Amino acid sequence: MEKYVEMLSEDGTLTIDTHILPDGESNKRMEVLYTILDKAMELKLDRKCTFVALGGGVIGDMVGFAASIYQRGVNFIQVPTTVMAMVDSSVGGKTGVNHPLGKNMVGAFYQPECVFIDLNTLSTLPDRELSSGISEIIKYGLIRDQEFFEWQEANVPAMLARDADAMAFAVRRSCENKAEVVAADEREANVRATLNLGHTFGHAIENGSGYGTYLHGEAVSIGTVMAATMSARMGWIDNDLLKRVYNILEAAKQPVELPLDSPMNSELFLDLMASDKKVADGQLRLILLKGELGNCVFTGEFDHNAMVETVNDFVAECEGQSRLMALK
């Protein structure tokens, strides 16, 4: 933080005040958001102020939402410091906090004035956080960019090793993909929803397991495998592509299944999915792979039994499922 405060203060024309937020999904809630507003009020900041979000996705989401509601909207700038934030959450204007009954259920679409990405910040990023962010990079290849996915298959080791050229290319290509989609559908009426491959399953895992148990990318990794498995079960993709999904996520050191001590069970899983933001008119809609690599659909027209069977398969050996079976 000191580095950026010093940079912004160099010409002496700006007043810089700082507020440190607790990080992590468990802190992405209204009580923490209010500390930003409290600080702004105490400092008597007016509508000409600018909120700067320096940190990962949780920080960016909360600061952006605070900017959107403080005095009905003030400027804000994103300075993402994690792979996840650089390639996904800082781009596109989604802001918000979690609710006990659902992830990201309270928020707003609010675009930053700019996004400043400094890849040097990745040098201190924990390995687990780095790997988690790579799962979102993989998503772009699966849903719309075959050539990028094939590059990823060959370069996962380089990304894990923090190779500067590999990371620069991966971040740039991911941002280009997301920017194209957001430009076509800023408010997520249709095509932007495809950026949420694996997220409906993943958000259920994050919520049901307790926020903070999984990093976002880890839950999305399991969710992506579930979406691919369901797609293959319906015959929408072939088994070769399903294997490639498993292989690349495992190569990125991301989980592809629930642990034995997971509290998830089928009933909880399906109940949480039914509260997803992509539900419309009572119908759950999913992002699923269909056809050749680089193609997907956002649809409510799928085999519901295939979804239930997929959930059942993934929770079959979990502690939560065992408890549910015992109760029955």
Side-chain angles (χ1 to χ4, degrees):
M1 178 185 289
E2 291 77 10
K3 168 187 172 182
Y4 293 99
V5 170
E6 184 178 342
M7 288 171 58
L8 292 169
S9 305
E10 279 183 352
D11 65 1
T13 62
L14 297 175
T15 299
I16 311 296
D17 295 290
T18 62
H19 180 57
I20 298 175
L21 298 169
D23 199 8
E25 286 290 337
S26 61
N27 291 306
K28 190 177 170 182
R29 49 196 170 87
M30 288 299 300
E31 294 86 349
V32 177
L33 177 81
Y34 261 100
T35 68
I36 305 173
L37 303 177
D38 291 344
K39 181 76 171 184
M41 293 289 289
E42 290 166 6
L43 293 169
K44 296 181 172 57
L45 300 182
D46 60 27
R47 285 181 173 173
K48 293 182 179 180
C49 73
T50 298
F51 288 9
V52 179
L54 174 66
V58 169
I59 301 301
D61 282 5
M62 286 199 294
V63 173
F65 187 34
S68 77
I69 59 177
Y70 182 66
Q71 298 195 10
R72 296 194 173 98
V74 296
N75 291 338
F76 92 105
I77 293 171
Q78 289 270 23
V79 186
T81 59
T82 66
V83 176
M84 176 70 66
M86 289 177 183
V87 304
D88 185 55
S89 60
S90 69
V91 182
K94 281 187 177 181
T95 69
V97 295
N98 298 328
H99 185 278
L101 298 181
K103 183 176 169 67
N104 295 330
M105 293 299 287
V106 182
F109 289 98
Y110 197 68
Q111 296 292 348
E113 295 299 304
C114 67
V115 179
F116 177 75
I117 295 176
D118 179 3
L119 292 176
N120 290 319
T121 61
L122 299 182
S123 63
T124 57
L125 189 68
D127 290 342
R128 185 183 173 196
E129 289 273 5
L130 182 81
S131 298
S132 174
I134 291 174
S135 69
E136 289 282 2
I137 293 173
I138 291 168
K139 167 190 73 180
Y140 294 111
L142 284 170
I143 65 172
R144 69 190 310 268
D145 194 339
Q146 176 181 344
E147 182 180 332
F148 188 26
F149 185 83
E150 291 169 348
W151 177 90
Q152 294 165 16
E153 288 181 309
N155 286 277
V156 164
M159 288 190 284
L160 289 175
R162 304 169 195 254
D163 178 84
D165 291 338
M167 288 308 303
F169 176 79
V171 170
R172 182 176 68 251
R173 186 71 167 255
S174 297
C175 289
E176 289 169 349
N177 270 290
K178 183 158 189 181
E180 288 175 7
V181 174
V182 172
D185 178 24
E186 181 182 2
R187 297 282 175 150
E188 201 170 281
N190 196 323
V191 67
R192 182 170 180 174
T194 63
L195 296 171
N196 291 308
L197 174 69
H199 284 57
T200 301
F201 294 106
H203 286 171
I205 293 169
E206 285 186 271
N207 193 346
S209 302
Y211 290 123
T213 302
Y214 290 93
L215 294 178
H216 177 62
E218 294 169 341
V220 167
S221 175
I222 301 171
T224 298
V225 170
M226 293 182 73
T229 299
M230 179 178 165
S231 299
R233 179 172 262 125
M234 295 188 297
W236 287 8
I237 63 171
D238 59 32
N239 285 330
D240 178 64
L241 179 52
L242 178 59
K243 290 177 184 175
R244 291 173 74 180
V245 174
Y246 268 93
N247 289 342
I248 194 170
L249 288 167
E250 288 182 320
K253 300 183 179 180
Q254 288 301 282
V256 294
E257 60 184 6
L258 292 166
L260 293 178
D261 62 352
S262 171
M264 298 301 294
N265 59 61
S266 298
E267 186 176 301
L268 175 61
F269 222 123
L270 295 171
D271 183 60
L272 290 170
M273 289 174 68
S275 300
D276 188 81
K277 296 188 300 300
K278 291 176 286 299
V279 172
D281 299 323
Q283 182 183 44
L284 175 62
R285 298 176 296 172
L286 296 174
I287 298 87
L288 298 166
L289 302 178
K290 190 170 187 178
E292 299 297 317
L293 172 62
N295 291 279
C296 68
V297 292
F298 173 45
T299 181
E301 301 298 324
F302 55 79
D303 183 348
H304 186 268
N305 289 332
M307 179 182 72
V308 173
E309 289 168 4
T310 299
V311 169
N312 287 341
D313 285 350
F314 273 76
V315 302
E317 297 182 0
C318 292
E319 181 180 314
Q321 183 69 3
S322 299
R323 287 199 300 268
L324 181 67
M325 292 172 67
L327 288 172
K328 290 182 177 180

